[in-house]
Amino acid sequence: MHKSKIILLILVLGLTTYLSCDTFKGPDLKLSTDKEEIPAGGNDHAVITATLKKQGDPEANQQIEFETTNGSFSTNEEQNEVVATTNSEGIATVKLYSAPQQGQATVTATYKDDASSNTYTANISITFGEPSASSLPTAGNFNLDCNWGNVGALISTSKPDVRVECEITAKNIRGEAIPPQSLTLHFQAEAGELTSVYDDYDDLLSIIYRVRGGESMPMDVEPLSGEPSRACGGGTCNPRDGLVTLVVVTRGSENFEDRNGNNQWDDGEPFDDLPEPFLDKNDNGIRDEGEWYFDSNSDGEYTEANGFYDTNTMIWANFKILWTGKPEENETAAWITHSPSSTTLPDGGSITFNVKLIDKNLNPVAGFGAASDDEINFIDAMNVLEPTQPPSDPGTFIVENMVGLEFDEQWRFLSCDENAAEFSTTFIDDSTGSTSSEDFLIGIDANLAPGPEGEDGRFNQYNYFFSTQISGTVQAAPQQ
């Protein structure tokens, strides 16, 4: 072949190669991130960067569609899709905020090329891990609360399957709310069972306490100073015999007084030095031999406070709930009194009746108010006397959920309100001016449910009749 033809052929082949590699090469879309792992909880984010080039040059003013399988592109709402426009360097960025729960997200970037009508995609994965030290809850801002403080777990030996909804709230040192599902939680109950259920659909964590499961009964404890008690069953009964301690443990930081407002502990600032978490069965505020504890340092022994401020340790929250039974009618528990002591009343007279609706441990019996139609009734079977309280429905009182015990911030016993479950009403003569004496007979009964209305419907009420009935006479009106 002639030399000039060979040179021409080489030039043509080179041009073809150039056009095929560069001129006809499609857009180049790449994804990168500044963090491959961020703490779960929604307070932290990763910056996702999409870079678009055509023929090696940045492509500006092009729309990139971002989509994520988890987390959100917004701080205050669920947003799994967003569109960003490339700048002069062919770069578009978005922020991906972590999901409430630990897990992983796949972010997909999509570019639709109008010139070729082709679509180009790129993917990247982000892990949502345990909260970092700055995102952990502080001991003073980690709390467990349950909807009810008193359940009728002791009304029968089989224990009704009472279910109580609870809630965990947590905040970090900056005061930002932490979704509890982002935390690793450990549950313990003195009696019954405390668990969590995660709803993937609603992205919510439900904390549920049930009286069945776990340990069968709360600890039988000795009465403390200022706590009422009574002889029963060859021993003593007191309100804390029905008291159950619930505990939730998680990783967090000790609470401190941030005197300079810099959101971190500094030398000299007071702090709450915590021991390892424990289950305070006897309610004295200290860990006693035999009480469960969380072995934070895995040394096989219970460890007291170490004297140092800890930014990353195990913290816990307590809640105490009463197990109560049916009213215990006797002279040392639930009884009926009246004033005046004489039940012989003058014409037009009145008499006041009082009753305590308490169980054998001197606790208010479980009641769940108007929602469950729980009530106590004062009735004159002879229709001679008429009740006057409460004004809305004389003789009938709604029984609300009551706890007579009072605790300090550390759930240590302070006092007991012995009148928490006392009901009182005054009856008046409904037949004033009668020319003959008339007898009355006062009876008291209660309709009570052992647990609240829940997802399985309402509990069957039980009806309790006090065996004590008060009889008396209203004298005839004086003759003129």
Side-chain angles (χ1 to χ4, degrees), residues 376-426:
I376 183 171
N377 304 291
F378 294 73
I379 302 171
D380 178 13
M382 312 304 290
N383 295 317
V384 172
L385 299 182
E386 181 179 356
T388 58
Q389 291 95 23
S392 58
D393 189 7
T396 299
F397 295 83
I398 300 299
V399 181
E400 303 290 352
N401 201 253
M402 293 178 284
V403 176
L405 297 170
E406 183 181 1
F407 304 91
D408 65 11
E409 293 181 352
Q410 283 73 46
W411 286 97
R412 292 172 299 202
F413 171 79
L414 287 178
S415 63
C416 180
D417 181 3
E418 298 185 58
N419 299 317
E422 185 170 322
F423 298 86
S424 177
T425 188
T426 297

Side-chain angles (χ1 to χ4, degrees), residues 130-134 136 251-254 309-315:
E130 272 201 320
S132 59
S134 62
L136 290 171
R251 187 165 296 280
S253 61
E254 292 177 335
Y309 178 73
D310 293 310
T311 59
N312 194 336
T313 187
M314 302 307 292
I315 63 174

Side-chain angles (χ1 to χ4, degrees), residues 201-215:
Y201 182 79
D202 291 326
D203 198 24
L204 292 174
L205 184 73
S206 298
I207 311 299
I208 306 298
Y209 174 68
R210 291 183 184 272
V211 303
R212 290 184 182 174
E215 294 293 326

Side-chain angles (χ1 to χ4, degrees), residues 54 60-61 88-89 91 95 114 131 147 157 167 202 219 253 267 270-271 323 326 346 350 369 376 393 419 460 468 474:
K54 285 186 179 180
N61 300 317
S88 60
E89 296 178 347
I91 292 174
K95 292 180 179 179
D114 293 335
N147 289 351
T157 56
E167 180 185 25
D202 291 326
M219 184 178 183
S253 61
D267 285 341
F271 65 93
W323 281 18
K326 293 181 178 180
S350 64
I376 183 171
D393 189 7
N419 299 317
N460 292 329
T468 301
V474 178

Side-chain angles (χ1 to χ4, degrees), residues 128-374:
F128 304 145
E130 272 201 320
S132 59
S134 62
S135 298
L136 290 171
T138 58
N141 289 305
F142 180 63
N143 300 292
L144 171 67
D145 292 289
C146 298
N147 289 351
W148 307 99
N150 184 345
V151 294
L154 302 178
I155 67 166
S156 67
T157 56
S158 62
K159 290 190 302 185
D161 191 17
V162 178
R163 177 182 182 273
V164 178
E165 294 184 2
C166 303
E167 180 185 25
I168 291 174
T169 54
K171 292 182 180 180
N172 60 25
I173 192 62
R174 300 184 298 274
E176 297 166 332
I178 301 172
Q181 53 264 46
S182 72
L183 304 170
T184 300
L185 303 169
H186 308 271
F187 299 93
Q188 194 71 21
E190 176 183 346
E193 189 173 38
L194 185 66
T195 58
S196 64
V197 179
Y198 182 71
D199 187 333
D200 288 298
Y201 182 79
D202 291 326
D203 198 24
L204 292 174
L205 184 73
S206 298
I207 311 299
I208 306 298
Y209 174 68
R210 291 183 184 272
V211 303
R212 290 184 182 174
E215 294 293 326
S216 60
M217 292 292 289
M219 184 178 183
D220 187 6
V221 296
E222 292 299 315
L224 296 174
S225 176
E227 183 180 11
S229 63
R230 57 181 287 267
C232 66
T236 60
C237 288
N238 55 276
R240 289 182 306 107
D241 286 336
L243 191 63
V244 171
T245 301
L246 310 180
V247 168
V248 180
V249 178
T250 193
R251 187 165 296 280
S253 61
E254 292 177 335
N255 195 32
F256 70 95
E257 183 181 340
D258 190 13
R259 289 178 172 176
N260 58 9
N262 66 350
N263 291 331
Q264 65 181 28
W265 180 80
D266 299 294
D267 285 341
E269 289 182 333
F271 65 93
D272 296 330
D273 196 13
L274 298 178
E276 287 182 327
F278 65 96
L279 185 70
D280 189 15
K281 287 187 175 183
N282 62 2
D283 321 300
N284 65 355
I286 60 175
R287 195 258 167 180
D288 296 291
E289 189 66 30
E291 289 183 331
W292 174 91
Y293 68 95
F294 190 93
D295 192 7
S296 305
N297 57 13
S298 301
D299 66 352
E301 298 179 355
Y302 180 71
T303 304
E304 297 286 354
N306 60 13
F308 300 97
Y309 178 73
D310 293 310
T311 59
N312 194 336
T313 187
M314 302 307 292
I315 63 174
W316 74 102
N318 289 314
F319 190 84
K320 293 185 185 282
I321 190 167
L322 281 174
W323 281 18
T324 58
K326 293 181 178 180
E328 180 85 358
E329 186 183 356
N330 57 58
E331 67 278 3
T332 61
W335 68 88
I336 301 172
T337 62
H338 53 85
S339 178
S341 58
S342 173
T343 57
T344 299
L345 306 181
D347 178 57
S350 64
I351 185 171
T352 299
F353 294 93
N354 304 286
V355 64
K356 284 191 173 183
L357 205 59
I358 56 178
D359 72 354
K360 68 175 185 177
N361 292 323
L362 306 177
N363 282 311
V365 299
F368 298 91
S372 296
D373 296 325
D374 289 349

